[in-house]
Amino acid sequence: MGAYTSQKDQAISNLIFILGDQLSLDIAALKKGNEDEDIVLMVEVVDEASYVPHHKKKIAFLFSAMRHFAEELRREGWTVDYVSLSDKNNSGSFEGELKRAVERHIPLQIFVTEPGEWRVLESLKNFQTENDIPLAILTDDRFIATHQEFREWAEGRKQLRMEYFYREMRRKTGLLMNGDQPEGGKWNYDAENRKPAKAYLFMPQPHQVKPDAITQEVLDLVGDKFSDNFGDLTPFWFAVTRNEAEKALDVFIRDALPKFGDYQDAMLKDEKFLYHSILSLYINCGLLDPLSVCHRVAQSYHDGYAPLNAAEGFIRQIIGWREYVRGIYWLKMPDYVSENYLGAKRKLPSFYWSGETDMACLKAAISQTKEEAYAHHIQRLMVTGNFALLAGVDPHEVHEWYLAVYADAYEWVELPNTLGMSQFGDGGVLGSKPYISSGNYINKMSDYCKGCKFDVKKKYGEGACPFNSLYWDFLARHADKFRGNPRMGQMYRLWDKMHPEKQQAYRDSAAVFLASLD
Ligand code: FAD
Ligand code: DLZ
Ligand code: SF4
């Protein structure tokens, strides 16, 4: 620090530190700066690339998007100090790179937009206390609700429920509102969004981009340094610039949005994307602005192109769920990450990494995750998530898997979705009941069961779909926790009416299957 203290009288510029998921020209820290004087710092560091074993495509996507963003900033007139992973002096951490940058530039102060993850916020606070250069952490105004607003909304409520928070966000943004009334008279059209898909429907494809020289260089780097990580590196087709991400939004609105609502819960073996947007990776890293995306979707409805159930369903995912899970994350961290309400202890089965299982639904969801670093919501929730919950897998292991394997995964959004929504590890803070199902639901919403070694109609015993026995075994195992839940009463009434021999057959079948996992 001596060097800094002795030279700071001469300093004229500020350092603007931009993290890998803050790739927006409107990011708060940039708005504090001035391109004629200030210096933007961006760093590729091994700490971020390895705090979980990220999918190769996720690392390549982020590094390439960061490098393209640095170019965009330079074109806008900014001076960018970009430290690449292969820089021989790279310290490997945000704190280390901040210190080195301070020595290089002797700035007056540092501006950074608040990070999305608790872990990174702690390290920035640590930097603040250990260094005498001022570091200002600014509110991330890409989100609609501030932490304070969410806290005030949550305070004093016995139960937090997304639906009520979502209505506040509709009022705040004015999206799909007629004065203070929701467009069409209803807030939520979810009941119309549960059609199973048919393979002969016209299937839109997401916008795909050919890797340019920058992306190719990153692909070589990732192929070299992260060759043992999970997932296929190529073919790589993600957009890595704002322009291309905007094109991906255009293509979604044109081809998929009109049916987004109808087929939101559907799954097909040979269709990885269906009518989903594949925009979460762009929104989460800053290439697309969430509110602008919602305005585009609302406009498509107002133009008479997309039906209301599609536009409302999509907007609810972003200003409802996305904002709500972020609110829960910052309300409940740091303890949230270690919650385990159901005391689940099983290790994550190794097929989550290999895809090698006879269960066709899991094989499909995991194989496409390996190929694309993407699976849609119902695959995450009702296939891989449902299985892990029913099988009693440690929610922390499940959390680390989801954080690693999806290109859109950052802890603030992934953890509440996994630990809260999917694994009920928070005991019902995020949702009122666990998302569990037997094979019947998967069979209704997908074509997976047709090609499966297991028989979805068979309830227990050899060759029966494992979801069937695991489902009843889960309910029986956790009766003390769920019997009194009004939304689960019907299932317990069915269980109670079941002949004890049948109950035992379910439980034996589940035990045999679970032992085979070990
Ligand atoms: P679409 O189906 O097209 O939805 C539109 C947009 O809505 C998405 O792009 C996304 O921005 C937003 N959205 C939808 N559902 C959610 C949700 N539940 N929470 C937050 N935003 C939502 N989403 C992530 O962005 N990152 C994650 O790490 C992540 N982990 C998840 C883990 C589990 C266990 C589950 C059940 C869900 C997770 N989700 C996560 C939410 C959701 O599955 C993804 O946002 C969605 O599948 C992304 O694909 P898409 O862009 O095609 O979404
Ligand atoms: C996910 C990720 C990866 C793989 N690498 C980097 C990196 O090298 N540099 C960087 O600034 N950000 C990276 N990120 C995203 C960060 O992990 C993310 O900004 C923090 O988790 C805060 O949300
Ligand atoms: Fe999955 Fe069971 Fe259907 Fe096989 S039969 S695909 S395991 S739900």
Side-chain angles (χ1 to χ4, degrees), residues 260 276-280 284 314 317-318 321-322 374-377 380-381 402 408-409 413-414 417-418 421-422:
F260 173 85
H276 292 274
S277 67
I278 335 297
L279 293 177
S280 51
N284 292 351
F314 184 89
Q317 306 310 315
I318 296 197
W321 279 113
R322 188 170 184 272
Y374 176 81
H376 65 71
H377 188 65
R380 297 187 206 195
L381 187 64
Y402 279 96
D408 59 18
V413 53
E414 175 279 329
N417 267 301
T418 304
M421 186 190 302
S422 164

PDB file of all heavy atoms in Angstrom, residues 260 276-280 284 314 317-318 321-322 374-377 380-381 402 408-409 413-414 417-418 421-422, ligand 1:
ATOM      1  N   PHE A 260     -45.295 -20.118 -26.388  1.00  0.00           N
ATOM      2  CA  PHE A 260     -44.529 -20.265 -25.130  1.00  0.00           C
ATOM      3  C   PHE A 260     -45.440 -20.698 -23.991  1.00  0.00           C
ATOM      4  O   PHE A 260     -45.137 -21.600 -23.228  1.00  0.00           O
ATOM      5  CB  PHE A 260     -43.838 -18.934 -24.784  1.00  0.00           C
ATOM      6  CG  PHE A 260     -43.164 -18.928 -23.431  1.00  0.00           C
ATOM      7  CD1 PHE A 260     -41.874 -19.409 -23.280  1.00  0.00           C
ATOM      8  CD2 PHE A 260     -43.820 -18.447 -22.299  1.00  0.00           C
ATOM      9  CE1 PHE A 260     -41.247 -19.415 -22.039  1.00  0.00           C
ATOM     10  CE2 PHE A 260     -43.207 -18.456 -21.054  1.00  0.00           C
ATOM     11  CZ  PHE A 260     -41.917 -18.938 -20.931  1.00  0.00           C
ATOM     12  N   HIS A 276     -39.239 -22.565 -25.542  1.00  0.00           N
ATOM     13  CA  HIS A 276     -38.554 -21.737 -24.539  1.00  0.00           C
ATOM     14  C   HIS A 276     -37.673 -20.704 -25.237  1.00  0.00           C
ATOM     15  O   HIS A 276     -37.369 -20.827 -26.434  1.00  0.00           O
ATOM     16  CB  HIS A 276     -37.747 -22.624 -23.593  1.00  0.00           C
ATOM     17  CG  HIS A 276     -38.649 -23.461 -22.730  1.00  0.00           C
ATOM     18  ND1 HIS A 276     -39.161 -22.995 -21.544  1.00  0.00           N
ATOM     19  CD2 HIS A 276     -39.170 -24.692 -22.918  1.00  0.00           C
ATOM     20  CE1 HIS A 276     -39.954 -23.921 -21.032  1.00  0.00           C
ATOM     21  NE2 HIS A 276     -39.989 -24.966 -21.845  1.00  0.00           N
ATOM     22  N   SER A 277     -37.231 -19.724 -24.469  1.00  0.00           N
ATOM     23  CA  SER A 277     -36.545 -18.587 -25.108  1.00  0.00           C
ATOM     24  C   SER A 277     -35.032 -18.774 -25.221  1.00  0.00           C
ATOM     25  O   SER A 277     -34.397 -18.150 -26.060  1.00  0.00           O
ATOM     26  CB  SER A 277     -36.829 -17.310 -24.317  1.00  0.00           C
ATOM     27  OG  SER A 277     -36.221 -17.385 -23.040  1.00  0.00           O
ATOM     28  N   ILE A 278     -34.438 -19.556 -24.357  1.00  0.00           N
ATOM     29  CA  ILE A 278     -32.967 -19.715 -24.279  1.00  0.00           C
ATOM     30  C   ILE A 278     -32.330 -18.321 -24.185  1.00  0.00           C
ATOM     31  O   ILE A 278     -31.356 -18.000 -24.890  1.00  0.00           O
ATOM     32  CB  ILE A 278     -32.363 -20.500 -25.483  1.00  0.00           C
ATOM     33  CG1 ILE A 278     -33.375 -21.430 -26.116  1.00  0.00           C
ATOM     34  CG2 ILE A 278     -31.079 -21.235 -25.085  1.00  0.00           C
ATOM     35  CD1 ILE A 278     -33.910 -22.546 -25.284  1.00  0.00           C
ATOM     36  N   LEU A 279     -32.901 -17.514 -23.315  1.00  0.00           N
ATOM     37  CA  LEU A 279     -32.372 -16.152 -23.144  1.00  0.00           C
ATOM     38  C   LEU A 279     -31.763 -15.948 -21.758  1.00  0.00           C
ATOM     39  O   LEU A 279     -31.110 -14.928 -21.514  1.00  0.00           O
ATOM     40  CB  LEU A 279     -33.495 -15.122 -23.350  1.00  0.00           C
ATOM     41  CG  LEU A 279     -34.078 -15.022 -24.768  1.00  0.00           C
ATOM     42  CD1 LEU A 279     -35.228 -14.013 -24.796  1.00  0.00           C
ATOM     43  CD2 LEU A 279     -33.007 -14.632 -25.794  1.00  0.00           C
ATOM     44  N   SER A 280     -31.965 -16.903 -20.836  1.00  0.00           N
ATOM     45  CA  SER A 280     -31.510 -16.673 -19.458  1.00  0.00           C
ATOM     46  C   SER A 280     -30.011 -16.400 -19.388  1.00  0.00           C
ATOM     47  O   SER A 280     -29.566 -15.548 -18.616  1.00  0.00           O
ATOM     48  CB  SER A 280     -31.860 -17.861 -18.566  1.00  0.00           C
ATOM     49  OG  SER A 280     -31.409 -19.049 -19.177  1.00  0.00           O
ATOM     50  N   ASN A 284     -28.793 -12.977 -17.738  1.00  0.00           N
ATOM     51  CA  ASN A 284     -28.048 -13.033 -16.474  1.00  0.00           C
ATOM     52  C   ASN A 284     -26.646 -12.438 -16.569  1.00  0.00           C
ATOM     53  O   ASN A 284     -26.096 -11.986 -15.570  1.00  0.00           O
ATOM     54  CB  ASN A 284     -27.945 -14.480 -15.976  1.00  0.00           C
ATOM     55  CG  ASN A 284     -29.295 -15.036 -15.551  1.00  0.00           C
ATOM     56  OD1 ASN A 284     -30.276 -14.300 -15.471  1.00  0.00           O
ATOM     57  ND2 ASN A 284     -29.364 -16.325 -15.300  1.00  0.00           N
ATOM     58  N   PHE A 314     -44.560 -15.447 -19.842  1.00  0.00           N
ATOM     59  CA  PHE A 314     -43.141 -15.104 -19.994  1.00  0.00           C
ATOM     60  C   PHE A 314     -42.749 -13.977 -19.026  1.00  0.00           C
ATOM     61  O   PHE A 314     -41.742 -14.075 -18.308  1.00  0.00           O
ATOM     62  CB  PHE A 314     -42.861 -14.684 -21.442  1.00  0.00           C
ATOM     63  CG  PHE A 314     -41.407 -14.417 -21.686  1.00  0.00           C
ATOM     64  CD1 PHE A 314     -40.556 -15.439 -22.085  1.00  0.00           C
ATOM     65  CD2 PHE A 314     -40.871 -13.145 -21.488  1.00  0.00           C
ATOM     66  CE1 PHE A 314     -39.206 -15.201 -22.276  1.00  0.00           C
ATOM     67  CE2 PHE A 314     -39.522 -12.903 -21.684  1.00  0.00           C
ATOM     68  CZ  PHE A 314     -38.684 -13.931 -22.071  1.00  0.00           C
ATOM     69  N   GLN A 317     -42.264 -15.011 -15.499  1.00  0.00           N
ATOM     70  CA  GLN A 317     -40.998 -15.689 -15.185  1.00  0.00           C
ATOM     71  C   GLN A 317     -39.911 -14.669 -14.839  1.00  0.00           C
ATOM     72  O   GLN A 317     -39.071 -14.913 -13.988  1.00  0.00           O
ATOM     73  CB  GLN A 317     -40.503 -16.544 -16.364  1.00  0.00           C
ATOM     74  CG  GLN A 317     -41.491 -17.555 -16.905  1.00  0.00           C
ATOM     75  CD  GLN A 317     -42.115 -18.409 -15.824  1.00  0.00           C
ATOM     76  OE1 GLN A 317     -41.415 -18.900 -14.943  1.00  0.00           O
ATOM     77  NE2 GLN A 317     -43.423 -18.561 -15.860  1.00  0.00           N
ATOM     78  N   ILE A 318     -39.957 -13.520 -15.510  1.00  0.00           N
ATOM     79  CA  ILE A 318     -38.857 -12.555 -15.318  1.00  0.00           C
ATOM     80  C   ILE A 318     -39.133 -11.573 -14.186  1.00  0.00           C
ATOM     81  O   ILE A 318     -38.342 -11.466 -13.250  1.00  0.00           O
ATOM     82  CB  ILE A 318     -38.559 -11.827 -16.639  1.00  0.00           C
ATOM     83  CG1 ILE A 318     -38.057 -12.884 -17.649  1.00  0.00           C
ATOM     84  CG2 ILE A 318     -37.521 -10.716 -16.438  1.00  0.00           C
ATOM     85  CD1 ILE A 318     -37.349 -12.361 -18.844  1.00  0.00           C
ATOM     86  N   TRP A 321     -40.788 -14.614 -10.975  1.00  0.00           N
ATOM     87  CA  TRP A 321     -39.865 -15.604 -10.411  1.00  0.00           C
ATOM     88  C   TRP A 321     -38.430 -15.104 -10.274  1.00  0.00           C
ATOM     89  O   TRP A 321     -37.775 -15.284  -9.251  1.00  0.00           O
ATOM     90  CB  TRP A 321     -39.884 -16.887 -11.254  1.00  0.00           C
ATOM     91  CG  TRP A 321     -41.050 -17.756 -10.899  1.00  0.00           C
ATOM     92  CD1 TRP A 321     -42.122 -18.042 -11.695  1.00  0.00           C
ATOM     93  CD2 TRP A 321     -41.284 -18.416  -9.639  1.00  0.00           C
ATOM     94  NE1 TRP A 321     -43.002 -18.841 -11.003  1.00  0.00           N
ATOM     95  CE2 TRP A 321     -42.516 -19.095  -9.756  1.00  0.00           C
ATOM     96  CE3 TRP A 321     -40.578 -18.504  -8.438  1.00  0.00           C
ATOM     97  CZ2 TRP A 321     -43.054 -19.850  -8.712  1.00  0.00           C
ATOM     98  CZ3 TRP A 321     -41.109 -19.251  -7.401  1.00  0.00           C
ATOM     99  CH2 TRP A 321     -42.329 -19.914  -7.539  1.00  0.00           C
ATOM    100  N   ARG A 322     -37.931 -14.478 -11.343  1.00  0.00           N
ATOM    101  CA  ARG A 322     -36.509 -14.092 -11.330  1.00  0.00           C
ATOM    102  C   ARG A 322     -36.232 -13.085 -10.206  1.00  0.00           C
ATOM    103  O   ARG A 322     -35.245 -13.189  -9.482  1.00  0.00           O
ATOM    104  CB  ARG A 322     -36.138 -13.519 -12.703  1.00  0.00           C
ATOM    105  CG  ARG A 322     -34.660 -13.246 -12.900  1.00  0.00           C
ATOM    106  CD  ARG A 322     -34.383 -12.912 -14.371  1.00  0.00           C
ATOM    107  NE  ARG A 322     -32.965 -12.737 -14.585  1.00  0.00           N
ATOM    108  CZ  ARG A 322     -32.316 -11.587 -14.445  1.00  0.00           C
ATOM    109  NH1 ARG A 322     -32.990 -10.499 -14.093  1.00  0.00           N
ATOM    110  NH2 ARG A 322     -31.015 -11.512 -14.646  1.00  0.00           N
ATOM    111  N   TYR A 374     -27.691 -26.471 -21.166  1.00  0.00           N
ATOM    112  CA  TYR A 374     -29.061 -25.960 -21.081  1.00  0.00           C
ATOM    113  C   TYR A 374     -30.037 -27.110 -20.873  1.00  0.00           C
ATOM    114  O   TYR A 374     -29.903 -28.176 -21.487  1.00  0.00           O
ATOM    115  CB  TYR A 374     -29.449 -25.233 -22.385  1.00  0.00           C
ATOM    116  CG  TYR A 374     -30.903 -24.779 -22.382  1.00  0.00           C
ATOM    117  CD1 TYR A 374     -31.280 -23.613 -21.736  1.00  0.00           C
ATOM    118  CD2 TYR A 374     -31.903 -25.550 -22.986  1.00  0.00           C
ATOM    119  CE1 TYR A 374     -32.615 -23.212 -21.695  1.00  0.00           C
ATOM    120  CE2 TYR A 374     -33.239 -25.156 -22.945  1.00  0.00           C
ATOM    121  CZ  TYR A 374     -33.584 -23.986 -22.295  1.00  0.00           C
ATOM    122  OH  TYR A 374     -34.898 -23.588 -22.238  1.00  0.00           O
ATOM    123  N   ALA A 375     -30.999 -26.907 -20.011  1.00  0.00           N
ATOM    124  CA  ALA A 375     -32.212 -27.736 -19.977  1.00  0.00           C
ATOM    125  C   ALA A 375     -33.312 -26.768 -19.588  1.00  0.00           C
ATOM    126  O   ALA A 375     -33.052 -25.774 -18.898  1.00  0.00           O
ATOM    127  CB  ALA A 375     -32.091 -28.856 -18.950  1.00  0.00           C
ATOM    128  N   HIS A 376     -34.531 -27.027 -20.031  1.00  0.00           N
ATOM    129  CA  HIS A 376     -35.569 -26.045 -19.686  1.00  0.00           C
ATOM    130  C   HIS A 376     -36.132 -26.322 -18.299  1.00  0.00           C
ATOM    131  O   HIS A 376     -35.786 -27.318 -17.653  1.00  0.00           O
ATOM    132  CB  HIS A 376     -36.619 -25.927 -20.793  1.00  0.00           C
ATOM    133  CG  HIS A 376     -37.427 -27.156 -21.030  1.00  0.00           C
ATOM    134  ND1 HIS A 376     -38.365 -27.606 -20.141  1.00  0.00           N
ATOM    135  CD2 HIS A 376     -37.418 -28.026 -22.066  1.00  0.00           C
ATOM    136  CE1 HIS A 376     -38.927 -28.690 -20.619  1.00  0.00           C
ATOM    137  NE2 HIS A 376     -38.361 -28.977 -21.783  1.00  0.00           N
ATOM    138  N   HIS A 377     -36.985 -25.425 -17.851  1.00  0.00           N
ATOM    139  CA  HIS A 377     -37.390 -25.408 -16.455  1.00  0.00           C
ATOM    140  C   HIS A 377     -37.990 -26.736 -15.981  1.00  0.00           C
ATOM    141  O   HIS A 377     -37.674 -27.224 -14.892  1.00  0.00           O
ATOM    142  CB  HIS A 377     -38.394 -24.269 -16.248  1.00  0.00           C
ATOM    143  CG  HIS A 377     -38.729 -24.038 -14.820  1.00  0.00           C
ATOM    144  ND1 HIS A 377     -37.810 -23.595 -13.899  1.00  0.00           N
ATOM    145  CD2 HIS A 377     -39.874 -24.227 -14.134  1.00  0.00           C
ATOM    146  CE1 HIS A 377     -38.379 -23.498 -12.713  1.00  0.00           C
ATOM    147  NE2 HIS A 377     -39.631 -23.881 -12.827  1.00  0.00           N
ATOM    148  N   ARG A 380     -35.432 -29.336 -15.453  1.00  0.00           N
ATOM    149  CA  ARG A 380     -34.652 -29.093 -14.222  1.00  0.00           C
ATOM    150  C   ARG A 380     -35.478 -29.434 -12.978  1.00  0.00           C
ATOM    151  O   ARG A 380     -34.974 -29.995 -12.015  1.00  0.00           O
ATOM    152  CB  ARG A 380     -34.215 -27.624 -14.143  1.00  0.00           C
ATOM    153  CG  ARG A 380     -33.282 -27.211 -15.259  1.00  0.00           C
ATOM    154  CD  ARG A 380     -32.732 -25.804 -15.058  1.00  0.00           C
ATOM    155  NE  ARG A 380     -32.361 -25.200 -16.338  1.00  0.00           N
ATOM    156  CZ  ARG A 380     -31.602 -24.131 -16.476  1.00  0.00           C
ATOM    157  NH1 ARG A 380     -31.093 -23.526 -15.430  1.00  0.00           N
ATOM    158  NH2 ARG A 380     -31.326 -23.644 -17.677  1.00  0.00           N
ATOM    159  N   LEU A 381     -36.769 -29.048 -13.023  1.00  0.00           N
ATOM    160  CA  LEU A 381     -37.592 -29.185 -11.820  1.00  0.00           C
ATOM    161  C   LEU A 381     -38.180 -30.584 -11.677  1.00  0.00           C
ATOM    162  O   LEU A 381     -38.111 -31.180 -10.605  1.00  0.00           O
ATOM    163  CB  LEU A 381     -38.730 -28.148 -11.888  1.00  0.00           C
ATOM    164  CG  LEU A 381     -39.608 -28.016 -10.640  1.00  0.00           C
ATOM    165  CD1 LEU A 381     -38.795 -27.524  -9.449  1.00  0.00           C
ATOM    166  CD2 LEU A 381     -40.780 -27.067 -10.899  1.00  0.00           C
ATOM    167  N   TYR A 402     -26.165 -28.063 -10.146  1.00  0.00           N
ATOM    168  CA  TYR A 402     -26.891 -27.089 -10.984  1.00  0.00           C
ATOM    169  C   TYR A 402     -26.045 -25.837 -11.226  1.00  0.00           C
ATOM    170  O   TYR A 402     -26.088 -25.257 -12.303  1.00  0.00           O
ATOM    171  CB  TYR A 402     -28.229 -26.700 -10.344  1.00  0.00           C
ATOM    172  CG  TYR A 402     -29.341 -27.702 -10.573  1.00  0.00           C
ATOM    173  CD1 TYR A 402     -29.640 -28.675  -9.634  1.00  0.00           C
ATOM    174  CD2 TYR A 402     -30.099 -27.675 -11.741  1.00  0.00           C
ATOM    175  CE1 TYR A 402     -30.666 -29.585  -9.839  1.00  0.00           C
ATOM    176  CE2 TYR A 402     -31.127 -28.584 -11.968  1.00  0.00           C
ATOM    177  CZ  TYR A 402     -31.408 -29.534 -11.007  1.00  0.00           C
ATOM    178  OH  TYR A 402     -32.424 -30.433 -11.226  1.00  0.00           O
ATOM    179  N   ASP A 408     -26.469 -20.497 -17.558  1.00  0.00           N
ATOM    180  CA  ASP A 408     -27.124 -19.332 -16.936  1.00  0.00           C
ATOM    181  C   ASP A 408     -26.965 -19.317 -15.417  1.00  0.00           C
ATOM    182  O   ASP A 408     -27.603 -18.507 -14.740  1.00  0.00           O
ATOM    183  CB  ASP A 408     -28.620 -19.312 -17.298  1.00  0.00           C
ATOM    184  CG  ASP A 408     -29.362 -20.584 -16.848  1.00  0.00           C
ATOM    185  OD1 ASP A 408     -28.856 -21.313 -15.988  1.00  0.00           O
ATOM    186  OD2 ASP A 408     -30.468 -20.827 -17.381  1.00  0.00           O
ATOM    187  N   ALA A 409     -26.128 -20.216 -14.868  1.00  0.00           N
ATOM    188  CA  ALA A 409     -26.145 -20.407 -13.414  1.00  0.00           C
ATOM    189  C   ALA A 409     -25.206 -19.471 -12.645  1.00  0.00           C
ATOM    190  O   ALA A 409     -23.984 -19.472 -12.856  1.00  0.00           O
ATOM    191  CB  ALA A 409     -25.805 -21.855 -13.093  1.00  0.00           C
ATOM    192  N   VAL A 413     -29.484 -16.874  -8.417  1.00  0.00           N
ATOM    193  CA  VAL A 413     -30.695 -17.373  -9.072  1.00  0.00           C
ATOM    194  C   VAL A 413     -30.790 -18.892  -8.969  1.00  0.00           C
ATOM    195  O   VAL A 413     -31.864 -19.459  -8.814  1.00  0.00           O
ATOM    196  CB  VAL A 413     -30.782 -16.857 -10.539  1.00  0.00           C
ATOM    197  CG1 VAL A 413     -29.532 -17.155 -11.330  1.00  0.00           C
ATOM    198  CG2 VAL A 413     -31.995 -17.415 -11.285  1.00  0.00           C
ATOM    199  N   GLU A 414     -29.630 -19.541  -8.988  1.00  0.00           N
ATOM    200  CA  GLU A 414     -29.627 -21.013  -8.990  1.00  0.00           C
ATOM    201  C   GLU A 414     -29.980 -21.575  -7.613  1.00  0.00           C
ATOM    202  O   GLU A 414     -30.756 -22.530  -7.498  1.00  0.00           O
ATOM    203  CB  GLU A 414     -28.241 -21.499  -9.455  1.00  0.00           C
ATOM    204  CG  GLU A 414     -28.037 -22.992  -9.388  1.00  0.00           C
ATOM    205  CD  GLU A 414     -27.685 -23.453  -7.993  1.00  0.00           C
ATOM    206  OE1 GLU A 414     -27.039 -22.701  -7.232  1.00  0.00           O
ATOM    207  OE2 GLU A 414     -28.076 -24.572  -7.642  1.00  0.00           O
ATOM    208  N   ASN A 417     -33.702 -21.531  -6.565  1.00  0.00           N
ATOM    209  CA  ASN A 417     -34.422 -22.451  -7.439  1.00  0.00           C
ATOM    210  C   ASN A 417     -34.135 -23.904  -7.057  1.00  0.00           C
ATOM    211  O   ASN A 417     -35.034 -24.741  -7.061  1.00  0.00           O
ATOM    212  CB  ASN A 417     -34.011 -22.235  -8.900  1.00  0.00           C
ATOM    213  CG  ASN A 417     -34.928 -21.255  -9.622  1.00  0.00           C
ATOM    214  OD1 ASN A 417     -36.134 -21.474  -9.716  1.00  0.00           O
ATOM    215  ND2 ASN A 417     -34.362 -20.161 -10.101  1.00  0.00           N
ATOM    216  N   THR A 418     -32.880 -24.196  -6.741  1.00  0.00           N
ATOM    217  CA  THR A 418     -32.511 -25.587  -6.454  1.00  0.00           C
ATOM    218  C   THR A 418     -32.850 -25.953  -5.014  1.00  0.00           C
ATOM    219  O   THR A 418     -33.651 -26.845  -4.752  1.00  0.00           O
ATOM    220  CB  THR A 418     -30.996 -25.811  -6.693  1.00  0.00           C
ATOM    221  OG1 THR A 418     -30.685 -25.431  -8.032  1.00  0.00           O
ATOM    222  CG2 THR A 418     -30.619 -27.258  -6.485  1.00  0.00           C
ATOM    223  N   MET A 421     -36.951 -24.105  -4.323  1.00  0.00           N
ATOM    224  CA  MET A 421     -38.073 -24.602  -5.127  1.00  0.00           C
ATOM    225  C   MET A 421     -37.971 -26.110  -5.359  1.00  0.00           C
ATOM    226  O   MET A 421     -38.937 -26.842  -5.185  1.00  0.00           O
ATOM    227  CB  MET A 421     -38.111 -23.887  -6.481  1.00  0.00           C
ATOM    228  CG  MET A 421     -39.332 -24.267  -7.286  1.00  0.00           C
ATOM    229  SD  MET A 421     -39.308 -23.705  -8.996  1.00  0.00           S
ATOM    230  CE  MET A 421     -39.141 -21.962  -8.868  1.00  0.00           C
ATOM    231  N   SER A 422     -36.796 -26.567  -5.762  1.00  0.00           N
ATOM    232  CA  SER A 422     -36.712 -27.953  -6.211  1.00  0.00           C
ATOM    233  C   SER A 422     -36.478 -28.952  -5.067  1.00  0.00           C
ATOM    234  O   SER A 422     -37.048 -30.035  -5.093  1.00  0.00           O
ATOM    235  CB  SER A 422     -35.609 -28.059  -7.275  1.00  0.00           C
ATOM    236  OG  SER A 422     -35.237 -29.373  -7.476  1.00  0.00           O
TER     237      SER A 422
HETATM  238  P1  FAD B   1     -37.796 -19.568 -20.473  1.00  0.00           P
HETATM  239  O1  FAD B   1     -38.593 -20.773 -20.144  1.00  0.00           O
HETATM  240  O2  FAD B   1     -37.847 -19.079 -21.851  1.00  0.00           O
HETATM  241  O3  FAD B   1     -38.228 -18.416 -19.443  1.00  0.00           O
HETATM  242  C1  FAD B   1     -38.024 -17.039 -19.735  1.00  0.00           C
HETATM  243  C2  FAD B   1     -37.088 -16.386 -18.757  1.00  0.00           C
HETATM  244  O4  FAD B   1     -37.675 -16.310 -17.480  1.00  0.00           O
HETATM  245  C3  FAD B   1     -35.758 -17.085 -18.557  1.00  0.00           C
HETATM  246  O5  FAD B   1     -34.842 -16.745 -19.555  1.00  0.00           O
HETATM  247  C4  FAD B   1     -35.353 -16.601 -17.183  1.00  0.00           C
HETATM  248  O6  FAD B   1     -34.685 -15.376 -17.270  1.00  0.00           O
HETATM  249  C5  FAD B   1     -36.676 -16.376 -16.477  1.00  0.00           C
HETATM  250  N1  FAD B   1     -37.014 -17.482 -15.576  1.00  0.00           N
HETATM  251  C6  FAD B   1     -37.862 -18.494 -15.822  1.00  0.00           C
HETATM  252  N2  FAD B   1     -38.033 -19.249 -14.717  1.00  0.00           N
HETATM  253  C7  FAD B   1     -37.237 -18.710 -13.774  1.00  0.00           C
HETATM  254  C8  FAD B   1     -36.968 -19.042 -12.428  1.00  0.00           C
HETATM  255  N3  FAD B   1     -37.566 -20.065 -11.820  1.00  0.00           N
HETATM  256  N4  FAD B   1     -36.080 -18.284 -11.759  1.00  0.00           N
HETATM  257  C9  FAD B   1     -35.469 -17.241 -12.357  1.00  0.00           C
HETATM  258  N5  FAD B   1     -35.702 -16.872 -13.618  1.00  0.00           N
HETATM  259  C10 FAD B   1     -36.585 -17.593 -14.313  1.00  0.00           C
HETATM  260  N6  FAD B   1     -32.482 -19.964 -13.981  1.00  0.00           N
HETATM  261  C11 FAD B   1     -31.370 -19.260 -14.174  1.00  0.00           C
HETATM  262  O7  FAD B   1     -31.408 -18.220 -14.826  1.00  0.00           O
HETATM  263  N7  FAD B   1     -30.176 -19.676 -13.635  1.00  0.00           N
HETATM  264  C12 FAD B   1     -30.079 -20.814 -12.917  1.00  0.00           C
HETATM  265  O8  FAD B   1     -28.986 -21.145 -12.440  1.00  0.00           O
HETATM  266  C13 FAD B   1     -31.245 -21.578 -12.704  1.00  0.00           C
HETATM  267  N8  FAD B   1     -31.196 -22.737 -11.995  1.00  0.00           N
HETATM  268  C14 FAD B   1     -32.339 -23.467 -11.826  1.00  0.00           C
HETATM  269  C15 FAD B   1     -32.271 -24.651 -11.070  1.00  0.00           C
HETATM  270  C16 FAD B   1     -33.418 -25.404 -10.867  1.00  0.00           C
HETATM  271  C17 FAD B   1     -33.354 -26.648 -10.023  1.00  0.00           C
HETATM  272  C18 FAD B   1     -34.638 -24.980 -11.419  1.00  0.00           C
HETATM  273  C19 FAD B   1     -35.880 -25.784 -11.194  1.00  0.00           C
HETATM  274  C20 FAD B   1     -34.711 -23.828 -12.165  1.00  0.00           C
HETATM  275  C21 FAD B   1     -33.581 -23.054 -12.374  1.00  0.00           C
HETATM  276  N9  FAD B   1     -33.618 -21.849 -13.116  1.00  0.00           N
HETATM  277  C22 FAD B   1     -32.467 -21.126 -13.278  1.00  0.00           C
HETATM  278  C23 FAD B   1     -34.891 -21.313 -13.628  1.00  0.00           C
HETATM  279  C24 FAD B   1     -35.253 -21.754 -15.065  1.00  0.00           C
HETATM  280  O9  FAD B   1     -35.212 -23.142 -15.166  1.00  0.00           O
HETATM  281  C25 FAD B   1     -34.357 -21.115 -16.105  1.00  0.00           C
HETATM  282  O10 FAD B   1     -34.353 -19.712 -15.943  1.00  0.00           O
HETATM  283  C26 FAD B   1     -34.850 -21.406 -17.512  1.00  0.00           C
HETATM  284  O11 FAD B   1     -34.948 -22.788 -17.718  1.00  0.00           O
HETATM  285  C27 FAD B   1     -33.919 -20.777 -18.528  1.00  0.00           C
HETATM  286  O12 FAD B   1     -34.256 -21.151 -19.834  1.00  0.00           O
HETATM  287  P2  FAD B   1     -34.977 -20.157 -20.839  1.00  0.00           P
HETATM  288  O13 FAD B   1     -34.192 -18.921 -20.978  1.00  0.00           O
HETATM  289  O14 FAD B   1     -35.266 -20.938 -22.071  1.00  0.00           O
HETATM  290  O15 FAD B   1     -36.297 -19.844 -20.036  1.00  0.00           O
END
